[in-house]
Amino acid sequence: MVKASRESKTSAAQATARLRQAGLRPTRQRVELAGLLFQSGDRHVTAESLHDEVSHAGVKVSLATVYNTLHQFTEAGLLRQVIVDAARSYFDTNTGDHQHFFLEKEGLLIDIPGETIAVAGVPTPPAGLSVDRVDVVVRVRRN
Amino acid sequence: MVKASRESKTSAAQATARLRQAGLRPTRQRVELAGLLFQSGDRHVTAESLHDEVSHAGVKVSLATVYNTLHQFTEAGLLRQVIVDAARSYFDTNTGDHQHFFLEKEGLLIDIPGETIAVAGVPTPPAGLSVDRVDVVVRVRRN
DNA sequence: CTCACACATTAGAATTATTCTAATGTGTTG
DNA sequence: CAACACATTAGAATAATTCTAATGTGTGAG
């Protein structure tokens, strides 16, 4: 919780603040993308889907910039990259501890809340290595 | 355990038998690939690595055939496809219940035996869907 | 044993996601 | 407001994978 301000922040202002906190210069396209990504609830996007979205919103951003931005956001901890499909990377706005359902057919990711799944017994990695993170993907299909 | 035969089967004969069981015609290239994949212990290959290997062994198989074969073997349950890298698919000769360490830097997969990790609390999938499999990937990096 | 046909293989082109390049634009700090 | 480091961009390049359409080959029927 932060101190309540006199007026509610605009999406752009929030995005700008978030970018500054992350040490990223709040450029026009980063602010736009952050606005789309973070103003609503948790989302899963691909570079292409986000580029379509931002383009349809009438904002001019190149696909290369979308890729750059997604990776920068990921490095900054604002996004989490989820690799479940051989063809495409997904970026998840929910960076907290949680896992995923994945529908191969539709290419759809669905969050599983953090506390739901417990992974026990993760072994100590081979010498010289340490655990970065543990991903659990529950692959599902239509009955 | 099968009944011991008078002489130990050759790798090719074993591969042929395995292919027939899976309902796949034992063609020259499938037998070669199955030989490489299944004669030694558990392996992880990419299409490219397997193509290199079979080529260096002096066997003429096209890359397209390697791709076809890997997918056919996967559908037949002889292999398991593991998607951990945005760029490349891995195929695991160990189709049993087990999970993986993944070293992003080296692009290296290491098996974690089946009983080691317990995943508890996998939720019931949304209506109309059923669980196909649960993948656990422990991403590790050098200290 | 041989034929015919369904299934496999192939080379090379096509596709697709992603990254690179090198030129141009723009926040930010002093 | 100038300078510079950092961003953005279009388009080319790359790389994994799939497709195409022609050629080859296991196999079951006879």
Side-chain angles (χ1 to χ4, degrees):
Chain A
M1 295 299 129
V2 290
K3 253 193 283 193
S5 55
R6 225 158 317 167
E7 53 195 284
S8 77
K9 281 181 176 175
T10 66
S11 165
Q14 282 179 37
T16 302
R18 195 186 290 258
L19 291 172
R20 281 199 204 283
Q21 276 187 324
L24 294 169
R25 272 161 48 163
T27 65
R28 183 176 60 80
Q29 25 290 294
R30 282 178 186 166
V31 171
E32 291 287 356
L33 293 172
L36 289 172
L37 287 170
F38 304 118
Q39 75 185 331
S40 46
D42 292 338
R43 307 197 51 190
H44 301 106
V45 301
T46 63
E48 189 118 23
S49 77
L50 185 58
H51 182 247
D52 285 356
E53 189 178 345
V54 76
S55 298
H56 287 141
V59 182
K60 224 187 130 208
V61 181
S62 77
L63 184 55
T65 295
V66 173
Y67 273 104
N68 290 339
T69 303
L70 287 173
H71 286 135
Q72 290 152 359
F73 284 10
T74 299
E75 272 190 59
L78 300 179
L79 292 176
R80 167 173 159 186
Q81 187 171 12
V82 184
I83 302 168
V84 281
D85 185 279
R88 226 179 306 283
S89 272
Y90 293 76
F91 293 85
D92 187 346
T93 59
N94 180 354
T95 57
D97 173 35
H98 74 285
Q99 308 300 342
H100 297 94
F101 282 121
F102 181 59
L103 281 91
E104 311 242 17
K105 276 291 163 59
E106 281 94 351
L108 185 64
L109 270 185
I110 302 171
D111 280 347
I112 300 173
E115 306 302 298
T116 314
I117 289 187
V119 180
V122 173
T124 305
L129 302 173
S130 55
V131 174
D132 188 12
R133 73 182 213 212
V134 179
D135 287 338
V136 178
V137 176
V138 180
R139 288 169 194 276
V140 294
R141 52 179 161 192
R142 300 225 163 269
N143 293 332
Chain B
M1 295 302 127
V2 290
K3 255 193 280 190
S5 54
R6 225 157 315 163
E7 53 192 282
S8 77
K9 283 181 173 173
T10 65
S11 165
Q14 282 179 39
T16 302
R18 195 186 289 257
L19 290 173
R20 281 199 203 285
Q21 276 187 326
L24 293 168
R25 275 163 44 166
T27 65
R28 183 177 58 80
Q29 27 291 299
R30 282 179 186 163
V31 171
E32 291 288 356
L33 293 173
L36 287 173
L37 287 171
F38 304 118
Q39 74 185 333
S40 47
D42 293 337
R43 305 196 54 190
H44 301 106
V45 301
T46 63
E48 189 117 25
S49 77
L50 185 59
H51 182 248
D52 285 355
E53 189 178 344
V54 76
S55 298
H56 287 143
V59 182
K60 224 188 129 206
V61 181
S62 77
L63 184 54
T65 295
V66 174
Y67 273 104
N68 291 338
T69 303
L70 287 173
H71 286 135
Q72 290 152 0
F73 284 10
T74 299
E75 273 190 59
L78 300 179
L79 292 177
R80 167 173 160 185
Q81 187 170 11
V82 184
I83 303 168
V84 281
D85 185 277
R88 226 178 309 280
S89 271
Y90 293 76
F91 293 85
D92 188 348
T93 59
N94 180 355
T95 57
D97 174 35
H98 74 285
Q99 307 301 342
H100 296 97
F101 283 121
F102 181 58
L103 281 92
E104 311 242 18
K105 275 290 161 60
E106 281 93 352
L108 185 64
L109 270 185
I110 304 171
D111 279 347
I112 300 173
E115 307 302 297
T116 314
I117 287 186
V119 180
V122 174
T124 305
L129 302 173
S130 55
V131 175
D132 188 13
R133 72 183 215 213
V134 178
D135 287 338
V136 179
V137 176
V138 181
R139 288 170 193 276
V140 294
R141 52 179 160 191
R142 301 225 163 269
N143 295 333

